[in-house]
Amino acid sequence: MRLPSLSRASLERHLPILEWSKTYDKDTLTSDLVAAVIVTIMLIPQSLAYALLAGLPAEMGLYASILPLVAYAIFGTSRALAVGPVAVVSLMTAAAVGNLALQGTAEYAAAAITLAFISGMILLVLGIFRLGFLANFLSHPVIAGFITASGVLIATSQLKHIFGIDAHGHNLIELVTSLFENQHLTNPITLFIGLTTTGFLFWVRKGLKPLLLGLGLKPRLADILAKAGPVGAVVVTTLVTWVFGLADKGVKIVGDVPMGLPPLTMPSFNGEIWSSLFVSALLISIIGFVESVSVAQTLAAKKRQRITPDQELVGLGASNIASAISGGYPVTGGFARSVVNFDAGAETPAAGAFTAVGILFAALLLTPLLFFLPKATLAATIIVAVLSLVDFSILSRTWKYSKVDFAAVAATIFLTLGFGVEIGVSTGVALSVLLFLYKTSRPHVAEVGLVPGTQHFRNILRHDVQTHPSVLTLRVDESLYFANARFLEDYVYDRIAGDQPVKHVVLQCSAVNEIDMSALESLEAINHRLHDAGISLHLSEVKGPVMDRLQRSHFLEEMTGEVFLSQYDALVALTRPDLADDIEHEEKRAAE
């Protein structure tokens, strides 16, 4: 039975797999399989490493890289976004769950699973009710500052594995202090493995592919081998540790990693646990969504494709719920692996599903081989991955462009490094909202005049323009709402105070897209006060939707002046015949 077109469109909107699968062919399958192989090779060591970063058993990283990828392939709209464990979310998971249970306990793992479920539900609800716009309140410079600080924290937290010592702490001061106090316990063999692996992985990122191309390998094969660098490090260091019995010499290893399918798990529905984790889950959801959408939109634009942010919320929500029921922890779209997925030629989200099959194969067959894998190798993998996220240039760029944004970024970085990830991200979110309110509460209002010989109006402080002493024209460059309504009142009152010639005030509303009830009451107050002073209030260039709402109120009936189609019409009507004479004089001079 053929579905009605409306139902089919609705289904495709909510299940994007129905849209892209219609044109799926052999060439697309080949591209997706090649991309899946490359991303799988990259994801296996990363998944293990990020799970350990979150304080969880290594296998949970693999579990979080299987079913979530399948869920995103069904519900996600990005053709290239690769979902799974990421460094920042892993760090945030450790910070959130660490408040409830000790690492290594069953309660700790259960709390991480519950955190993924709560995060998934939050994202799902936001997506269903199309509330993705809420993420717009999170300033991108603040997010960049948080990620930079988190990258420093993550890299520092992994130095204990590079040195083979115990060190703990939730902020940079605690971590550095703990590392310094225990540095005398450094294991030389572990340090050698850690430093060698780190150096090798840094070289692989830049130097291996050109070397392979120079040896005559084809670009696609050279790219696959270059991406396999971390796997090569895992294989070599595991073999060396096993052959030489380095575990008996103090080298810490991953140990037993259970082999088999991801377990069927259920989150806790304990109210106390939910209340303890809810704020952290909300922050993880917001940070993960903002970064995922940023990456997805960037990659989609390169192929002139588009994503649907609200449906992305559903896709990420489904992925986190899938992670929670399969023994995983919170996931989101990863920047590095998404870029690799895109560069490897992924055409559809099916590449992610094929990647899940590869990770499943590793979980079923390869985990016993990881017993002697040094934790220093995984730490090196994390350090190399997260240092690419560190970008302190955001400080210099915001300093040059906006001192207010610089203060927000600097505060976010400082608080994250000094007091931990939860305080840092909470402050970042709060600062983003406060910055928005601050900026819009003081809208730019310009006094404008007529550019000679034209019908254009510009700021009197920036251009040589014509004005009339009886007409004050103010251009409001912001929508009017409760936070800035009083500012406009004060601005108008201050401007007309003592200015006797002014008989008309015209508010040019070309940039006003919204006037809420508070702003309407302010306009009414301005109208009454100007009337008492013998001054008429006029509006010009009011947009249709704004005018529709004004017409539903009594304001236009009570307004002492008129509403003009354009500012030029207002000036001509209010200054005749003076302006007409000036215009005629300018036209004659131009003709001469």
Side-chain angles (χ1 to χ4, degrees):
M1 178 178 177
R2 186 178 179 83
L3 290 170
S5 58
L6 182 61
S7 297
R8 183 178 297 276
S10 178
L11 277 174
E12 289 180 356
R13 186 171 67 251
H14 297 296
L15 293 172
I17 188 174
L18 298 178
E19 180 183 357
W20 56 260
S21 62
K22 291 187 298 186
T23 57
Y24 206 79
D25 55 24
K26 183 178 178 181
D27 292 338
T28 306
L29 173 64
T30 302
S31 298
D32 285 346
L33 284 173
V34 171
V37 169
I38 295 175
V39 175
T40 300
I41 290 172
M42 176 184 183
L43 197 53
I44 290 174
Q46 275 196 357
S47 298
L48 298 169
Y50 291 153
L52 294 180
L53 172 61
L56 297 165
E59 64 270 15
M60 288 187 69
L62 295 177
Y63 299 157
S65 302
I66 300 175
L67 204 55
L69 277 72
V70 177
Y72 184 82
I74 297 172
F75 296 101
T77 61
S78 172
R79 302 294 181 96
L81 190 69
V83 173
V86 299
V88 173
V89 169
S90 297
L91 180 65
M92 295 177 72
T93 298
V97 179
N99 296 326
L100 299 181
L102 294 175
Q103 287 190 15
T105 63
E107 291 79 9
Y108 190 95
I113 290 171
T114 303
L115 184 66
F117 185 80
I118 298 173
S119 179
M121 292 300 298
I122 291 172
L123 289 164
L124 205 57
V125 169
L126 291 175
I128 291 173
F129 290 98
R130 300 190 176 188
L131 298 176
F133 70 90
L134 293 176
N136 296 336
F137 289 98
L138 200 57
S139 143
H140 195 272
V142 167
I143 289 293
F146 169 71
I147 290 176
T148 290
S150 296
V152 174
L153 277 181
I154 292 168
T156 306
S157 71
Q158 296 306 296
L159 291 178
K160 64 182 180 182
H161 297 303
I162 299 293
F163 287 93
I165 60 178
D166 290 324
H168 304 283
H170 295 294
N171 58 62
L172 189 62
I173 297 173
E174 292 176 356
L175 285 169
V176 171
T177 301
S178 184
L179 286 168
F180 181 77
E181 290 175 348
N182 293 291
Q183 51 86 24
H184 64 283
L185 300 175
T186 298
N187 185 297
I189 300 176
T190 301
L191 181 62
F192 178 77
I193 293 173
L195 293 179
T196 303
T197 305
T198 302
F200 171 74
L201 293 177
F202 271 119
W203 173 76
V204 161
R205 286 202 159 202
K206 300 290 184 181
L208 182 56
K209 185 175 180 179
L211 176 64
L212 295 174
L213 291 174
L215 294 176
L217 271 68
K218 293 182 178 180
R220 179 57 65 88
L221 180 58
D223 191 53
I224 293 176
L225 292 177
K227 296 296 187 300
V231 175
V234 167
V235 171
V236 171
T237 56
T238 300
L239 284 174
V240 168
T241 303
W242 172 57
V243 170
F244 294 98
L246 299 183
D248 297 329
K249 299 178 182 179
V251 175
K252 295 180 180 179
I253 58 176
V254 171
D256 184 42
V257 178
M259 181 174 63
L261 294 170
L264 181 63
T265 54
M266 288 295 291
S268 169
F269 291 97
N270 182 292
E272 186 176 342
I273 292 178
W274 275 58
S275 62
S276 299
L277 292 176
F278 184 81
V279 173
S280 297
L282 180 62
L283 294 174
I284 287 173
S285 301
I286 294 173
I287 296 294
F289 172 65
V290 170
E291 283 305 296
S292 292
V293 168
S294 298
V295 174
Q297 288 176 332
T298 300
L299 296 180
K302 292 183 178 182
K303 289 190 175 183
R304 298 190 178 184
Q305 298 168 347
R306 63 182 297 273
I307 66 165
T308 307
D310 288 324
Q311 185 60 33
E312 282 298 290
L313 283 166
V314 174
L316 292 173
S319 297
N320 276 279
I321 292 173
S323 185
I325 64 174
S326 58
Y329 69 101
V331 298
T332 192
F335 174 76
R337 72 174 66 104
S338 295
V339 172
V340 169
N341 195 37
F342 179 86
D343 291 341
E347 294 289 340
T348 72
F354 296 143
T355 299
V357 174
I359 302 295
L360 179 62
F361 174 79
L364 286 172
L365 301 177
L366 303 181
T367 51
L369 303 178
L370 300 173
F371 185 90
F372 289 101
L373 172 61
K375 289 187 176 181
T377 299
L378 294 180
T381 302
I382 293 174
I383 290 172
V384 173
V386 300
L387 286 183
S388 65
L389 303 176
V390 176
D391 179 19
F392 282 106
S393 68
I394 188 68
L395 290 171
S396 61
R397 285 185 280 125
T398 53
W399 175 261
K400 292 177 182 177
Y401 188 77
S402 169
K403 300 299 187 291
V404 174
D405 283 333
F406 169 80
V409 172
T412 302
I413 292 176
F414 171 78
L415 290 171
T416 302
L417 293 177
F419 297 94
V421 61
E422 287 198 333
I423 292 179
V425 70
S426 300
T427 303
V429 171
L431 284 173
S432 295
V433 175
L434 289 174
L435 281 175
F436 170 78
L437 292 174
Y438 174 76
K439 290 175 181 177
T440 57
S441 69
R442 302 177 61 83
H444 181 257
V445 179
E447 184 173 343
V448 297
L450 180 66
V451 178
T454 74
Q455 295 185 14
H456 299 292
F457 288 77
R458 292 293 184 268
N459 193 327
I460 64 171
L461 301 179
R462 295 176 178 270
H463 301 272
D464 184 14
V465 294
Q466 292 177 336
T467 60
H468 195 281
S470 67
V471 179
L472 171 63
T473 299
L474 301 177
R475 190 188 68 221
V476 184
D477 293 334
E478 185 72 61
S479 291
L480 298 175
Y481 74 118
F482 65 91
N484 62 23
R486 188 56 185 266
F487 177 86
L488 179 62
E489 276 191 65
D490 294 339
Y491 189 96
V492 173
Y493 300 155
D494 290 343
R495 178 60 185 82
I496 65 170
D499 197 345
Q500 298 300 326
V502 173
K503 298 300 179 184
H504 304 279
V505 171
V506 185
L507 297 182
Q508 185 180 349
C509 301
S510 53
V512 177
N513 298 313
E514 177 75 18
I515 296 177
D516 74 357
M517 194 64 193
S518 297
L520 178 62
E521 292 177 354
S522 287
L523 289 177
E524 291 173 345
I526 292 171
N527 181 57
H528 290 308
R529 191 158 178 177
L530 291 180
H531 175 67
D532 293 341
I535 301 174
S536 299
L537 175 65
H538 309 267
L539 303 180
S540 73
E541 303 185 15
V542 181
K543 294 183 177 179
V546 177
M547 179 61 75
D548 291 341
R549 297 188 68 175
L550 290 177
Q551 288 174 339
R552 295 199 293 267
S553 72
H554 297 290
F555 173 70
L556 295 180
E557 298 174 7
E558 298 173 356
M559 191 172 69
T560 54
E562 302 177 46
V563 178
F564 295 97
L565 181 63
S566 71
Q567 183 57 37
Y568 182 78
D569 291 343
L571 194 60
V572 170
L574 298 175
T575 61
R576 279 192 192 119
D578 299 347
L579 183 63
D581 293 339
D582 291 342
I583 292 174
E584 184 180 355
H585 176 71
E586 286 290 339
E587 289 176 347
K588 287 182 178 179
R589 191 172 68 175
E592 292 172 357

